[in-house]
């Protein structure tokens, strides 16, 4: 059974750092794009960052320079490093894996409805001032 599991969420003060790790089981990340989405209750689900099978990173403008990605296909993990966190970064973060290189920047909900994409259960990030 294909599964993704996020870990590393928690509470941090403004300006702090967190590391979110996505671990796959039942399949290998080789050949998959892996993305992170986030959602605040009542808001849309938004793409935050994405890494290609070859390690090419994409980040939305609001996190560029603060967030980075690292993938380790031998350990079947993708890690999102979040630095200089701001209150607007607080959300539930979801890890998503798919073979397709096409990703929507906004979804009406997390997890999404596309059955070709594998979603984790989400991990909460709280940023306090």
């Amino acid at each position: 059974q294909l599964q993704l599991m996020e870990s590393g969420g928690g509470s941090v003060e403004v300006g702090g750092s967190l590391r979110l790790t996505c671990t796959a089981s039942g399949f290998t990340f080789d050949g998959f794009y892996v993305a992170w989405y986030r959602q605040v209750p009542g808001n849309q689900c938004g793409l935050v960052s994405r890494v290609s099978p070859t390690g090419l990173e994409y980040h939305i403008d609001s996190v560029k320079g603060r967030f980075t990605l690292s993938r380790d296909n031998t350990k079947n993990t993708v890690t999102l490093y979040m630095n200089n966190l701001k209150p607007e970064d607080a959300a539930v973060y979801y890890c998503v894996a798919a073979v397709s290189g096409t990703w929507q920047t906004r979804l009406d909900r997390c997890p999404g409805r596309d059955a070709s994409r594998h979603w984790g259960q989400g991990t909460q990030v709280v940023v306090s001032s």
Side-chain angles (χ1 to χ4, degrees):
Q1 185 177 1
L2 307 183
Q3 286 189 327
L4 294 178
M5 180 73 70
E6 301 95 341
S7 59
S11 183
V12 65
E13 293 185 348
V14 170
S17 299
L18 279 176
R19 180 178 64 187
L20 304 183
T21 299
C22 177
T23 304
S25 61
F27 71 110
T28 62
F29 270 151
D30 287 6
F32 279 79
Y33 288 78
V34 180
W36 289 89
Y37 281 78
R38 65 187 180 189
Q39 185 170 34
V40 175
N43 288 6
Q44 279 189 311
C45 174
L47 176 65
V48 178
S49 301
R50 184 193 67 225
V51 61
S52 76
T54 59
L56 187 64
E57 294 183 43
Y58 164 83
H59 303 277
I60 59 174
D61 286 345
S62 63
V63 307
K64 280 181 182 176
R66 300 189 296 120
F67 289 14
T68 59
L69 285 160
S70 174
R71 68 185 296 158
D72 187 338
N73 290 339
T74 64
K75 296 181 179 179
N76 245 9
T77 60
V78 169
T79 300
L80 179 67
Y81 295 90
M82 305 186 296
N83 300 309
N84 190 21
L85 283 161
K86 303 177 180 181
E88 54 265 39
D89 295 318
V92 177
Y93 282 71
Y94 295 84
C95 170
V96 192
V99 175
S100 172
T102 301
W103 293 82
Q104 290 181 269
T105 56
R106 293 286 180 185
L107 301 172
D108 59 359
R109 69 167 196 179
C110 286
R113 304 173 194 272
D114 186 343
S116 69
R117 298 171 193 270
H118 309 289
W119 287 75
Q121 83 291 347
T123 186
Q124 181 85 47
V125 171
V126 176
V127 183
S128 57
S129 56

